[in-house]
Each structure stands twice: as C-alpha cells, then as structure tokens.
Amino acid sequence: MPALLPIDSVAGVILFWLALALLGLALQNAPRLIAQLLFPLSAIGALALAATALGALGGPANVAVLPLGLPDLPFHLRLDALSSFFLLLLGAAASGISLFSAGYFRTMPGRALGLLCFQYHLFLASMALVFLADDAYLFMVAWESMALSSYFLVTTDHTLPQNRRAGFLYLLIAHVGAIGILMSFGVMQGGHGDYTFATMRGSHLSGLWASVTFLLALFGFGAKAGILPLHAWLPEAHPAAPSPVSAMMSGIMLKTAIYGILRVTFDLLSAPLWWWGTIALTLGLLTALFGVIFAAVQTDMKRLLAYSSIENIGIILVGIGLTITFHAFHMQALSALALTATLYHALNHAFMKGLLFLGAGSVLHATGERNMGKLGGLIHQMPKAALLVLVGTLAIAGLPPLNGFASEWLLLQAFLLSPTLPHPYLNMLVPVAAAALALAAALAGYVMVKFYGIIFLGQPRSEKLRSAHDAGGWEQFGLAWLALGCIALGMFPMLVIDHLAPVTQFLVGHQLHGNTAQSWLWLTPVQPERASYSPLILFSIIVIGVLFSLLVVKKFYHGRLRRGPAWDCGFPEQSARMQDTAEGFSQPIRQIFEMFFGVIRELPSPFDKHPRYRGETIDRLWNLFYVPIIKLATTLSSLIGKLQHGRIHIYLMYSFITLLALLAFVR
Amino acid sequence: MNLSALLFQLLQDTLVVLAAPLLLGWVNQCRAWLQNRSGAGVLQPYRKLIKLFHKDAVLAHNASPLFRFMPYILFACMWLAAALVPVLATDLPLSPAVDVIALVGIFALARVFISLAAMDIGTAFGTLGARREMLVGFLAEPALLMVFFTASVISHSTSLITIVETLAHTQFVLYPSLAFAAVAFVMVLLAENARIPVDNPSTHLELTMIHEAMILEYSARHLALIEWASALKLLAYITIGIALFLPWGIAAADHWSALPIALVALFVKLTAAGAGLALLETLSAKMRIFRVPEFMGTAFLLAVLGMLTHFLLGS
C-alpha cells in the first residue's frame, strides 16, 4: 500500500468538512451540539490542514485525478508549493475563526444554526478545493460553490432588507468576475479543448493573447479581491455577514483571488510582460489609498474594517505588480523579494483582519451595536478582548515588532533596491509609488487609532454599555490563537521567509537565501550592510527599557497614587458626549481629502427646536462606474422589453425571421 | 560582537538618556535669550523632572491599565531610538536591529500609544489632541520615510550605520537631493517635536495645542517620564539630522582614539543645532491648525521631490 501523500490528507480534511456540513444539517435539533462539538472539530480539521500544508511546502508536487464530474472530464487535483502556502493560510486562520465560532454561535436557534454550519463548512471546503484544483472545470466549480455558500452566509440575517441588498450586490459582482475568469481560461486553453492547467502551461500564448488573458484574469479575480473599481460589494457584504463569516471572507476568501492572480500570471502564463506590472502597481496603489482614506471616515466598525481590507488587498497587489515588473526584466532576486513580501503580507492579513473582525464580533455580541459613535470605554468591561484586539490593531497599523510591519518592511526594501530598472519612466514611478505606499501605511495608523480608541477607550457613550460582558471562553481562545499568530509572524520573519522560499522558487525561479551565516534572529533580505532588522532584539530592548524605567521609578521614588476625577483643564461638567465621535475623529481626513468624497451634510439652523445633524460620505466611484452601467442595463432591457408583447403570433413571427436569417447565413 | 563595541553601546545609552534634558534646557535657554528674557538656566528640565518624580500621581477614576503603562512604553521607545542613532561612532552592535524604516516604525509605535492613552480618559481635550497628533503623524511619517529613502538610495542601504559611513567617510560630494531632504526633515522635526510653528511646547490651555492636550491628564512620575521621553525624542531627531546631513567627525568603527574628537564635534553640533532650533522657533509664528496639513504636505512633497531629483540627475 503506498504511503499517504499530503494531497490525500488535504482531500481527507475537505471530506471531513463536508461531513461536518451534513452533520450540521442533521443536528438541527441540537444547536448546542453543533456549536460546541462541530465547530471545534472543524478547527481541528483546519489545524490538520495547516500542518499538512506546512509539511508539503518544501516537498514535490502531488497530483491526483478524481473520477468525479462529467464523463470524460474528471477532476484534476494538484498540490504544489503555491497551493500548499495558501492552504496553510486557510488552515491556520480558519482554526482560530472556527474556535471563535463555537462560542459566538452558541445562542443561535437550531434551524438557522444548522443551515449556517452547512454553508460554513461548504465554504471552507470549496476554498480548499479552489487552491487544489488543477483544471479550469474543477476550479470554476469550486469557485462558484465558494461564491454561493458565502452568499448564503452573508444573507444569514436575511430578514433585513439591507442585508438582502448587500448579498445581491456581492453575488452580482462575484458572477461578473467569474465570467472574466472563465474567459481568461478560455483564452488560455488556446483551442486545445482541454481545460487542464497542464495544457495551459504548455500552450505558449503570443504577447497579445497573453495580455488579454492577464487583463481578463485581473478583472475577474479583482472583482473577488475588491480591487478598484470593483470594490463596491466589500463594505456592504462584510457588515451584513455574521462576524466569523466576515473574518473568513476578509481574511481568507480575498486571498483566493490573490492566489488566482499569482497562479495565472506566473504559473500558467509563465512569461509576464513588464507593463502588466505597471498596471497592477498603479491599481494597487489606488486601491490602497482609496481603501484607507475611506476607512478613516467610516462610523460602522465593520465597514471600517472592510475598507481596511481593500487597503491591504491594494498593498498585496502593489507587491504583485513589483514582482511582475522585476520578473519581466529578469531581476530574479528582486522579484523573489517582492513576491516574498506579497505572500507574507497576505498571510499576515489573514491573521490581523481575522482577529479584528472577530474582535468586532465580540463587541457586537456584547453590546448589539455596530455604530462606533455609540460605543466607548469597553476596555473596562471587556479587558481580555480589548487586549487581544489591541494586538491586531497594532499589527495592522504596521507597527514593529508585529507582523504587519515585517511584510511592509520587506515591500519597502523591494522598492528601495529597485532603482536599476531599464526603463526611465518606471524608475520615476518607483519612488512615487513608494511614497504613496508609505502614506497609505501611515494613514492605516490613523484608522486603527480611531477604531480602537473610539470603541474600547474613553467613556461609554451609552448607559447600556456598562453591562457589556467580556468575550466567552471559546471566543477568547479563537482571538488568542490569531493574536499569537500575529506576534509569532512578526517576531520570527526569518523562519517565515525560509518557508516561503519554495513558493518563490516555484513561481519566479529564485528564492531569498535563508542567509545561513546570519542567524534566525536577523532579517537580512540581501546583505547585512544593505538592510537588516531584528524584531526580537527590538522587542527585548523595549521590554528591558520598560522594566528598567519601572524598576528605577519604583525603587528611587515612592509609588504613591491617588484616584480623582479627570482634570480636563478644570472643566467640571464633562460628559461622554464631549468626546470625539467616530465622525469627529475623522474630520481632518474628510477635510484634507474632500475631493475624493461626495459629502452630504444636513446642518441644523440655529432656530431649530430639535436640531439634527447628519453627515454622510459617499463613494463617488459608485456614481462614476456603477450608475452608468445600471442605467445602460435598464435602457437595454426596456428596449428588449419592447420586443415582448405577450402575443403568440408575434413570437412566431420572430422565429420565422430568425429562421430566414439563418438560412440566408448558411447558404 | 566584541566587548569594546558593547561597552560603547552602553556608554551611548547612558549618555543620551542623561544628556537629553540638557539639550532641551539649552534650546529653552536660547529661546529665552532671543526673546530678551533671562531664562531659567540650562538645568531647568532636570529640576522639573526631579520635582515631578517626587509628587503624588493622580489618576482619573476611569483610567485603564493602558493609560498607566503608556509612559513607560513611550520612554522605552524614545530611549531605543536615541540609543541606536550613530551619535559618536558607527560602532554600535545593536544598531543593525533597527534600520531607518524600523526607526520610523518605532516613532509610529510611540505615537499610536500616546494617542490611544490620550483617548483613554475620554475628555474633550484628550481626544482632540489624539486626533491632531495622528493628523500630524500621518503626514510626517511618510515624509520622514522619504527623507530616509533619499539618503538610502545614495548609500544603497537602509542601515543608518552604512548611510553615515557612506556620507561621512567618502570625499565631499554635494547631493542636490539631500538639500530637498534636509528642508523636509527640518519641517518634520518641528512638527514631530511639537515645536512652533506647528505646536507650542511651552503652553497649556491653548485651543490649538496638540501634544500638551494629549498629556493633560498625566501627573507626577508618569508626566516626568513623558517629558523625559519628549527630550529624548528631540535629541534623537537632532542626532538623526546630524547623522544624515552633517556626519563629519563621527568616529569610525573601533576607533577609540577618535572618541574625544567625536565628543567635541557632537557637542559643537548639538549646541549649534539647539540654537538654530530656538532661532527658527523665535522667528516663526504659530500656524492655525488648519494650515498644518499644508505645512506637512509641503514637507512630504519636498521629500518626494528630493528622491525624484536623485533619479533625475542619475547620480
């Protein structure tokens, strides 16, 4: 009997998840069992998947053919370095999210929970299958089941009309994107009629067709990732979905699109052109800046996180753009560096954003409030959740020594090492792009201070917050898992890079050397003189500094402390309403970037009996891109509607005319 | 890592933490002289620190652990930053742990913590200060990063030590890109250290205050640590400026004999920089807060221009 290959274990986990999905349907009458047995089991499955994928990263590619699907069209599976990496991301993040779900969903009624459990595990299994697929057919099947299961998850709370609308928008954009992906596969198979990825790798497309494929794939996958201007569904769908689902969609599902772009560009097309990189870079920068600026003006905490996801996808796309550019100019070491930064950031984002969405879920669970303007001071009621969310906040703000900083550091290094491109305009673009990236990263700090400060710090903005409860045991477990991931990924970047080496070797034919002369303590992507960074040393110095100053202060001076009312410049009658609200905190951003937003303001007149203020920032891209398309669709359908009169003889005439036309054509 | 280098690192760590208030005192004294006042003497910051350390701390009722813990983190971050800039010599064993990007990251870490702590009590002034600090920060941070990048592309490295060695120990070359960067850096320095024209360090109860608004709720030892950290931050910024734009006189690795010269050079440079800062502050008027984004945007654009100049001239 042959030894168990990694691909078999992965397939086993997928089957296990599918079984859990069915069990969830069967156990509808025992909601406690679903929450506290099935979801922890699912976390164990995810952990097993992560371990298998980690083991398979450096190993040879496994292939398998499943005799499923249509006759003569079996499913091809393949586990190579790229799919292993993304399966690792899926497993590692999903285990935390599933643990959290065990606590989060425990109060849901049985029927809804059974359905949710079914969709949830179907979603997980189809994402794993997307990473495993080795032919366009299975890929599209998995892709569509992923879109459908997540659609039902988004509309879990389908009694609210805005949730149904959000789900519809999501489904629509997902399918427009799927058409793009399908067409790019269609171009790639190049008339062979064989849709396996192996054939696509073999068919070397000419420059024009390769470019068409790339652009179609970028469009199609971009719709799933939320790249500008196809981002419109993200800020609608994420707040509508239950928090663990938002965490999964933002942390993991957006990465399936990144996986797709990487797979098509580097594996299936194999010889990217340099201007593809410029397109990806520009789009990525626009997306990142757009996302972070809009995140800064949000008042709904989950919308804020959704916009922040758009920003991070932008950063990842910038990395992809750089990788393509370097690869096209045969600068292998640099493209490996940029790709490492890209993959690293994708992994980091799965942990950080998973953590933050789950934390937002805990807050929502405890207070029933998503509007940041009605929260505040929760660090006193929810100390444990607040501490864990703080880790995610600092990580996503890109602060050392956590993980978000490590990947942004690598990406900036890739920018700095690049000024030797053989194209003068590109050379000018690179510093501007680096500046824009730095601006986006700095703005992320603003957004995250707002997120954390308004929700967890200050005085509670309403009375009911005083009775909020902390996250439960399972929830804390899930949050802690992701927070530990953020810390570990930030502290040991060298180990992460070593594990990314097979992926970059596979995609761009080069890897960052683990630099064995240097220890695992130092991150030195090129040479130690050029750049080095050691989060562990940095962290220990800060810890030593904190302990030292604490000790000295305690030792040499008294530790006397009194509690009193807040000072606030001696103003005695301060209330919670005098703090900045979410809108107030983002006022400078609204002012500086006014031209980006459409701002609607309703100001009260001084004579109003009941003064009412309303401010809304709207996305101008909606009017620019979506409204014309909607109008066009309406006009076209009303034109087509004119053909339909509901009379049989007119329809018969249509058939007759069609027949005549066809006859004329065939003749 | 040899013993002499380690010793050197320890020497610098002690020196910066002890000398930082002195620099602040010198700047304040210069300002007093320029404004026809007699001033309180260069040792005044030390007296203030001692006074604050001896007082009883008063904490608001709803202060969270984050609020109490922040001054220590701030102090440690600023100490770390000041200790890792090559001030006297380029032989610092811990310096490779933090390159210029990480240095910007440490400043950002400190900024995020102080802003969060300012929001913790939930007073009107606290959140106002936090909001403004982040407003200044999100424009200052990329500007500073761009200044560093301009120096990095010249020396092909983001390590501060390599940058200083390249700029100090090669023959004298004029880099036009560095001129842009220097102007941008001074603007960032003024903003980040809460100096005029962006903020006024010697005022309370001004509606346009930024830094002081954030630390209104602090008292006694916590306030002392924050003040000390601000002094360290000013020292770190000025020494970064010296390292980037006036690196001559810094001792190379393993040159203990050059240390006295380096010490004298540093003293002269710091004295001059402090006086220059005081002059700059005296000559300019405080801006309206709404003008600050323009000021910072100018700094950012200048820094980007510096980097573009480098590529345009192809040096």
Side-chain angles (χ1 to χ4, degrees):
Chain A
M1 185 183 155
L4 197 67
L5 288 171
I7 196 169
D8 301 327
S9 329
V10 174
V13 172
I14 295 177
L15 283 179
F16 177 64
W17 275 339
L18 290 176
L20 287 181
L22 292 176
L23 267 177
L25 279 187
L27 289 176
Q28 281 187 15
N29 295 326
R32 285 185 63 85
L33 214 57
I34 299 181
Q36 311 217 337
L37 182 69
L38 296 193
F39 277 101
L41 277 178
S42 143
I44 292 173
L47 210 57
L49 178 72
T52 315
L54 188 65
L57 256 179
N62 299 179
V63 281
V65 180
L66 291 186
L68 292 169
L70 296 176
D72 277 347
L73 208 54
F75 286 159
H76 295 75
L77 301 181
R78 183 174 135 120
L79 183 72
D80 53 22
L82 183 64
S83 27
S84 300
F85 169 74
F86 278 92
L87 284 169
L88 169 65
L89 183 154
L90 166 67
S95 45
I97 298 171
S98 291
L99 280 178
F100 182 91
S101 306
Y104 188 82
F105 290 129
R106 69 182 183 281
T107 49
M108 241 177 131
R111 205 174 118 76
L113 184 57
L115 273 174
L116 182 114
C117 177
F118 176 72
Q119 306 289 2
Y120 181 95
H121 289 101
L122 206 60
F123 186 38
L124 273 176
S126 51
M127 282 195 289
L129 262 184
V130 165
F131 295 139
L132 218 52
D134 196 34
D135 62 71
Y137 172 43
L138 174 59
F139 188 92
M140 289 315 293
V141 169
W143 188 263
E144 285 300 284
S145 22
M146 180 176 87
L148 282 178
S149 51
S150 53
Y151 165 74
F152 287 114
L153 286 172
V154 167
T155 52
T156 300
D157 204 356
H158 54 82
T159 45
L160 297 175
Q162 70 265 34
N163 287 1
R164 289 200 298 274
R165 182 182 174 271
F168 175 70
L169 186 65
Y170 167 53
L171 197 66
L172 194 69
I173 296 185
H175 279 92
V176 171
I179 293 171
I181 299 170
L182 195 62
M183 278 160 60
S184 87
F185 283 140
V187 178
M188 268 190 290
Q189 58 92 25
H192 295 284
D194 183 359
Y195 283 88
T196 58
F197 284 174
T199 323
M200 293 182 192
R201 277 185 203 104
S203 70
H204 293 286
L205 296 174
S206 69
L208 176 67
W209 285 113
S211 304
V212 169
T213 313
F214 172 77
L215 292 178
L216 280 171
L218 188 66
F219 172 80
F221 290 116
K224 189 57 106 185
I227 294 171
L228 230 59
L230 298 164
H231 63 281
W233 64 272
L234 259 145
E236 302 298 326
H238 280 84
S243 296
V245 174
S246 315
M248 193 112 82
M249 286 174 69
S250 189
I252 307 171
M253 190 188 73
L254 299 187
K255 309 306 178 313
T256 61
I258 300 300
Y259 164 83
I261 295 177
L262 289 175
R263 173 69 77 192
V264 168
T265 314
F266 293 102
D267 185 25
L268 303 184
L269 289 174
S270 75
L273 304 177
W274 66 266
W275 60 266
W276 302 358
T278 317
I279 289 184
L281 185 68
T282 320
L283 268 181
L285 284 174
L286 289 178
T287 308
L289 279 175
F290 171 88
V292 75
I293 291 171
F294 268 78
V297 296
Q298 296 309 312
T299 50
D300 179 320
M301 58 179 175
K302 289 180 83 180
R303 271 179 88 94
L304 181 145
L305 291 178
Y307 275 112
S308 158
S309 289
I310 298 180
E311 179 223 345
N312 279 286
I313 285 295
I315 293 177
I316 293 172
L317 193 65
V318 167
I320 295 178
L322 271 189
T323 314
I324 295 175
T325 313
F326 293 143
H327 191 59
F329 287 127
H330 304 291
M331 303 161 117
Q332 305 304 357
L334 277 177
S335 67
L337 175 61
L339 185 60
T340 307
T342 308
L343 296 170
Y344 198 169
H345 197 73
L347 185 61
N348 287 341
H349 184 241
F351 277 87
M352 309 184 287
K353 197 45 70 64
L355 176 57
L356 288 181
F357 264 121
L358 295 185
S362 281
V363 171
L364 187 58
H365 210 268
T367 63
E369 192 60 67
R370 250 174 29 206
N371 185 348
M372 293 198 285
K374 295 184 178 162
L375 294 167
L378 287 173
I379 194 170
H380 300 287
Q381 276 76 39
M382 316 177 65
K384 287 177 183 141
L387 179 67
L388 293 170
V389 172
L390 181 65
V391 174
T393 309
L394 297 179
I396 207 159
L399 299 174
L402 292 166
N403 59 349
F405 179 77
S407 48
E408 280 172 15
W409 187 86
L410 277 175
L411 195 56
L412 286 174
Q413 289 296 342
F415 269 111
L416 276 182
L417 293 172
S418 63
T420 40
L421 291 174
H423 213 282
Y425 289 113
L426 277 184
N427 267 337
M428 303 303 285
L429 177 69
V430 163
V432 176
L437 189 69
L439 182 65
L443 267 167
Y446 192 105
V447 173
M448 282 304 135
V449 166
K450 171 179 169 175
F451 174 78
Y452 195 81
I454 302 274
I455 296 176
F456 287 102
L457 303 176
Q459 304 176 43
R461 287 181 179 79
S462 60
E463 219 26 61
K464 65 175 179 181
L465 298 182
R466 297 200 187 272
S467 55
H469 56 85
D470 204 348
W474 285 113
E475 297 173 37
Q476 281 175 26
F477 216 38
L479 288 171
W481 167 258
L482 295 175
L484 280 180
C486 285
I487 295 171
L489 285 172
M491 290 288 183
F492 304 103
M494 228 36 230
L495 300 183
V496 181
I497 289 179
D498 278 346
H499 282 102
L500 290 179
V503 189
T504 57
Q505 182 72 43
F506 169 64
L507 288 184
V508 296
H510 198 277
Q511 57 185 19
L512 284 189
H513 289 293
N515 236 336
T516 38
Q518 295 285 322
S519 62
W520 48 272
L521 201 58
W522 298 92
L523 176 56
T524 50
V526 193
Q527 295 131 9
E529 309 86 57
R530 288 205 76 145
S532 59
Y533 163 60
S534 170
L536 216 55
I537 293 185
L538 191 157
F539 181 65
S540 15
I541 299 179
I542 291 185
V543 168
I544 291 172
V546 167
L547 291 179
F548 181 76
S549 46
L550 257 174
L551 264 180
V552 169
V553 169
K554 285 266 146 68
K555 194 92 190 157
F556 288 96
Y557 298 97
H558 58 88
R560 285 198 295 272
L561 192 81
R562 277 192 292 124
R563 291 272 180 176
W567 158 234
D568 200 26
C569 278
F571 185 65
E573 288 170 38
Q574 50 192 324
S575 73
R577 291 200 39 153
M578 290 178 194
Q579 309 171 85
D580 270 14
T581 55
E583 273 127 0
F585 200 83
S586 52
Q587 183 269 339
I589 301 283
R590 257 203 319 278
Q591 200 174 25
I592 296 175
F593 297 101
E594 206 169 6
M595 64 270 199
F596 289 93
F597 312 116
V599 182
I600 301 174
R601 276 206 194 87
E602 281 175 30
L603 297 174
S605 103
F607 307 106
D608 276 353
K609 282 279 181 312
H610 302 284
R612 194 168 160 278
Y613 168 83
R614 197 175 76 92
E616 196 186 348
T617 40
I618 47 171
D619 183 352
R620 285 208 171 144
L621 289 176
W622 179 263
N623 290 334
L624 221 63
F625 284 93
Y626 290 84
V627 172
I629 295 178
I630 296 170
K631 275 188 186 148
L632 186 71
T634 331
T635 327
L636 279 181
S637 32
S638 66
L639 279 181
I640 290 172
K642 286 195 177 126
L643 293 176
Q644 295 173 328
H645 294 273
R647 293 194 202 122
I648 290 282
H649 62 269
I650 293 185
Y651 291 136
L652 282 176
M653 196 179 73
Y654 290 158
S655 319
F656 182 67
I657 293 172
T658 314
L659 212 62
L660 278 185
L662 280 177
L663 278 176
F665 184 70
V666 173
R667 176 187 63 88
Chain B
M1 199 192 290
N2 54 8
L3 191 69
S4 97
L6 200 65
L7 216 72
F8 201 90
Q9 178 79 58
L10 278 176
L11 175 75
Q12 176 168 343
D13 294 359
T14 332
L15 189 72
V16 290
V17 78
L18 292 182
L22 187 66
L23 176 68
L24 193 63
W26 167 246
V27 175
N28 287 344
Q29 185 61 40
C30 285
R31 242 169 30 142
W33 283 335
L34 284 168
Q35 292 163 357
N36 273 337
R37 293 185 283 122
S38 54
V42 287
L43 295 180
Q44 183 61 16
Y46 293 101
R47 295 187 202 113
K48 191 177 175 190
L49 286 182
I50 292 170
K51 180 188 81 180
L52 285 174
F53 272 123
H54 277 107
K55 290 207 169 217
D56 282 13
V58 183
L59 227 58
H61 287 301
N62 65 336
S64 73
L66 190 140
F67 185 81
R68 282 182 72 171
F69 205 49
M70 188 285 288
Y72 300 97
I73 296 177
L74 184 71
F75 183 74
C77 284
M78 289 312 162
W79 193 2
L80 171 66
L84 293 186
V85 181
V87 176
L88 290 172
T90 52
D91 193 15
L92 293 174
L94 289 183
S95 201
V98 175
D99 71 340
V100 288
I101 304 177
L103 198 62
V104 175
I106 289 172
F107 285 131
L109 182 70
R111 174 167 48 241
V112 165
F113 262 104
I114 197 174
S115 305
L116 286 178
M119 298 176 83
D120 186 54
I121 309 289
T123 58
F125 274 120
T127 42
L128 172 146
R131 173 187 357 126
R132 290 179 178 171
E133 171 78 1
M134 292 316 289
L135 165 70
V136 171
F138 94 78
L139 286 163
E141 188 184 320
L144 183 62
L145 210 51
M146 284 298 118
V147 170
F148 282 142
F149 283 2
T150 312
S152 314
V153 288
I154 292 173
S155 55
H156 302 290
S157 167
T158 59
S159 143
L160 251 181
I161 291 185
T162 318
I163 292 176
V164 171
E165 278 178 345
T166 317
L167 295 179
H169 300 289
T170 50
Q171 72 224 83
F172 186 76
V173 188
L174 268 183
Y175 295 103
S177 53
L178 273 187
F180 283 105
V183 177
F185 181 78
V186 172
M187 294 168 88
V188 172
L189 186 148
L190 290 173
E192 281 278 69
N193 288 288
R195 318 300 298 188
I196 293 175
V198 177
D199 193 4
N200 190 348
S202 55
T203 179
H204 264 350
L205 281 180
E206 208 181 293
L207 278 177
T208 53
M209 62 185 170
I210 303 175
H211 182 76
E212 292 296 322
M214 286 194 296
I215 59 174
L216 268 180
E217 301 300 323
Y218 279 103
S219 57
R221 54 176 182 272
H222 302 131
L223 185 60
L225 280 171
I226 294 174
E227 297 282 342
W228 204 340
S230 308
L232 274 167
K233 187 179 185 182
L234 183 66
L235 178 71
Y237 262 89
I238 291 186
T239 48
I240 289 170
I242 290 174
L244 289 184
F245 307 111
L246 308 160
W248 304 285
I250 290 180
D254 278 333
H255 274 77
W256 282 86
S257 52
L259 192 60
I261 301 174
L263 262 174
V264 172
L266 179 70
F267 184 75
V268 171
K269 284 189 268 190
L270 282 181
T271 315
L277 182 62
L279 186 66
L280 215 69
E281 275 197 278
T282 312
L283 287 180
S284 46
K286 170 112 174 46
M287 273 186 296
R288 291 175 71 210
I289 192 84
F290 305 113
R291 300 290 300 279
V292 170
E294 273 174 49
F295 181 78
M296 299 314 300
T298 314
F300 181 44
L301 286 182
L302 274 177
V304 176
L305 263 182
M307 200 151 163
L308 280 175
T309 316
H310 176 85
F311 290 116
L312 268 178
L313 299 178
S315 48

